[in-house]
Amino acid sequence: MEDFIPKMVPMPLTGSFPFQCSACGQCCRHVKESIPLESPDMFRLARFLRDGDGRIRSTADVLAKYAEVMVINPSGYAMYVLKTTGRDDACVFLKDNKCMVHPAKPRACRTYPVAAMPDGHGGHLVHLSVEQPCHFKGPGIPVRRWMKQYCKKEEYDFLAMDFGSAVEISSLLNKVPQAEKDKAFYTFLRFKYLDYDLDKPFLSQFKKNNRKLLVALQAMAREPGRPGI
């Protein structure tokens, strides 16, 4: 993951970039621990795979088979990333240079080579992924147009809630007594990734789960509760 970060260069939301996909599959190789699987990605993948694979019935099935958890903060704050295979650490869903889950691929893959995240002030930080120079050909594409096409409103709403609660959740995880660390970690994974009904809308479930997570961590950290976000 650390080797991947320097290959992201900042760019303005008003900027543009040349890009041309040649279906070479190179952006899906050498991606170990670098394709994040956010909660809505996981939910979308589970629904997509459930329709074609009788073994997939829940988000837990997807995570167990296709993802691995990474702790990204000493507090225990974690995220899932897609597994990779082979000598070239290719995405687990890459086959014959094609994405096997293209209609439901993660946000990071859909918006590639652009990555955007909330800046904490109502706007977004935008970076351009430059690890594959061969892709940067053709006419300039406006960043705003690219993001509007590949990142929908529900995902921006999710990002605002997810990033908006990350600092508090991390702080609470830090305050949980050592004897309850494992319980807190499972609680975190449960409400972020596991406790979802695939036949109901995602965002309302995520919002409810985020509140439950905050309340549960407040109790474990022995902090007075307050209304959730």
Side-chain angles (χ1 to χ4, degrees), residues 98-113:
K98 294 181 181 179
C99 176
M100 296 294 98
V101 292
H102 184 76
K105 62 185 179 182
R107 179 177 71 95
C109 302
R110 275 183 288 115
T111 65
Y112 175 87

Side-chain angles (χ1 to χ4, degrees), residues 141-156:
I141 301 172
V143 173
R144 286 186 187 276
R145 189 180 79 192
W146 187 265
M147 294 306 295
K148 184 176 181 180
Q149 180 176 355
Y150 294 113
C151 193
K152 306 305 180 184
K153 182 181 183 301
E154 180 181 77
E155 288 171 301
Y156 282 118

Side-chain angles (χ1 to χ4, degrees), residues 82-101:
L82 285 181
K83 290 180 179 178
T84 55
T85 62
R87 293 182 179 179
D88 56 358
D89 286 322
C91 173
V92 68
F93 290 120
L94 182 68
K95 184 177 181 181
D96 298 328
N97 285 346
K98 294 181 181 179
C99 176
M100 296 294 98
V101 292

